[in-house]
């Protein structure tokens, strides 16, 4: 009885496979590959203004500290490490516990933090950065401005091509930060977006 049942099922499934359920075979087609264009054709400041749901506190901090000109100018190319609202809230919670607005925080301290997040020159994974961490020059002077940058190129990871700041062990005890989004190209440099703020620790 069982053998008869198995045979019936087997032949029934085979018949379905051979009939192909009445579907036509897929036709050949030409595949045209394309890569998303990372250029945004606006300066960094305009990019941030176009995404207020992500950067509202970041832009508020920039205006509060008088650093807006760095993000609007076009004479020099900078790498902007942009902090989304999650990163800015984390910064306030850690550095200014209890403060609910960045404009209530010490202006000079916030300014120095933002200067650390502007790197002189263009650094992206399109050739300037390598797998090995390299020192870059931030706009924060002195030892507190030390930073390393590298690019994640492990082919088995989804984060291939994303930017790392202060890769573990490359810059004292500075915490490693991984960009959430990398290689956005405004007309005045490069933008990498972070969910955690970066800082140097000896």
């Amino acid at each position: 009885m069982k053998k008869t049942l198995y045979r019936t099922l087997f032949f029934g499934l085979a018949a379905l496979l051979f009939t192909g359920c009445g579907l036509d075979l897929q036709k050949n087609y030409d595949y045209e590959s394309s890569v998303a264009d990372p250029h945004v054709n606006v300066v960094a400041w305009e990019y941030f203004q176009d995404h207020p749901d992500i950067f509202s506190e970041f832009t508020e901090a920039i205006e509060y500290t008088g650093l807006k000109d760095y993000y609007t100018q076009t004479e020099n190319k900078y790498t902007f490490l942009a902090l989304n609202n999650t990163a800015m809230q984390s910064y306030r919670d850690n550095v200014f516990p209890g403060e609910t607005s960045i404009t209530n925080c010490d202006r000079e301290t916030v300014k120095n933090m933002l200067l650390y997040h502007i790197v002189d020159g263009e650094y992206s994974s399109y050739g300037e950065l390598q797998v090995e961490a390299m020192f870059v020059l931030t706009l924060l002077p002195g030892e507190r401005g030390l930073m390393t940058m590298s690019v994640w190129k492990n082919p088995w990871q989804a984060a291939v091509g994303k930017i790392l700041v202060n890769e573990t062990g490359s810059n004292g005890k500075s915490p490693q930060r991984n960009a959430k989004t990398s290689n956005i190209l405004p007309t005045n440099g490069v933008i990498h977006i972070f969910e955690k703020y970066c800082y140097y620790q000896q």
Side-chain angles (χ1 to χ4, degrees):
M1 174 94 173
K2 279 189 179 179
K3 283 186 180 181
T4 306
L5 182 61
Y6 287 140
R7 280 185 189 155
T8 305
L9 285 172
F10 174 76
F11 286 116
L13 289 172
L16 280 174
L17 287 173
F18 286 121
T19 59
C21 301
L23 298 176
D24 294 332
L25 291 175
Q26 181 175 329
K27 295 177 179 166
N28 291 333
Y29 67 96
D30 293 325
Y31 173 72
E32 293 181 20
S33 64
S34 63
V35 177
D37 186 356
H39 297 87
V40 292
N41 298 318
V42 293
V43 295
W45 180 256
E46 292 173 278
Y47 179 80
F48 301 142
Q49 292 293 297
D50 289 341
H51 299 84
D53 54 321
I54 302 172
F55 300 112
S56 58
E57 190 163 356
F58 184 60
T59 55
E60 186 179 25
I62 291 168
E63 291 185 309
Y64 174 57
T65 55
L67 297 177
K68 182 178 171 182
D69 287 350
Y70 285 108
Y71 300 87
T72 59
Q73 60 78 44
T74 54
E75 293 79 32
N76 299 301
K77 300 285 188 177
Y78 293 111
T79 299
F80 303 103
L81 309 182
L83 301 178
N84 66 16
N85 287 336
T86 301
M88 289 299 298
Q89 182 179 343
S90 172
Y91 172 72
R92 274 190 293 102
D93 290 345
N94 285 304
V95 181
F96 302 101
E99 288 294 351
T100 57
S101 171
I102 198 69
T103 57
N104 292 334
C105 302
D106 180 70
R107 191 188 314 263
E108 197 64 23
T109 302
V110 177
K111 181 178 180 179
N112 287 338
M113 181 274 289
L114 291 176
L115 288 173
Y116 188 72
H117 289 76
I118 304 175
V119 178
D120 193 9
E122 294 179 274
Y123 295 95
S124 72
S125 61
Y126 298 127
E128 299 87 3
L129 292 172
Q130 304 301 318
V131 177
E132 298 81 19
M134 60 182 284
F135 280 96
V136 293
L137 185 64
T138 71
L139 298 191
L140 181 63
E143 185 181 55
R144 290 185 305 155
L146 290 175
M147 176 185 287
T148 65
M149 294 182 75
S150 57
V151 62
W152 190 263
K153 294 238 181 175
N154 184 334
W156 295 282
Q157 298 291 334
V160 170
K162 287 196 176 176
I163 302 303
L164 303 180
V165 167
N166 294 330
E167 186 176 354
T168 303
S170 69
N171 191 19
K173 295 179 181 175
S174 306
Q176 176 177 299
R177 299 297 191 226
N178 304 359
K180 178 178 175 59
T181 305
S182 301
N183 307 311
I184 299 165
L185 302 179
T187 55
N188 57 348
V190 183
I191 296 171
H192 306 298
I193 302 171
F194 290 81
E195 282 194 323
K196 294 182 178 179
Y197 68 98
C198 308
Y199 59 92
Y200 170 72
Q201 186 172 336
Q202 191 172 19

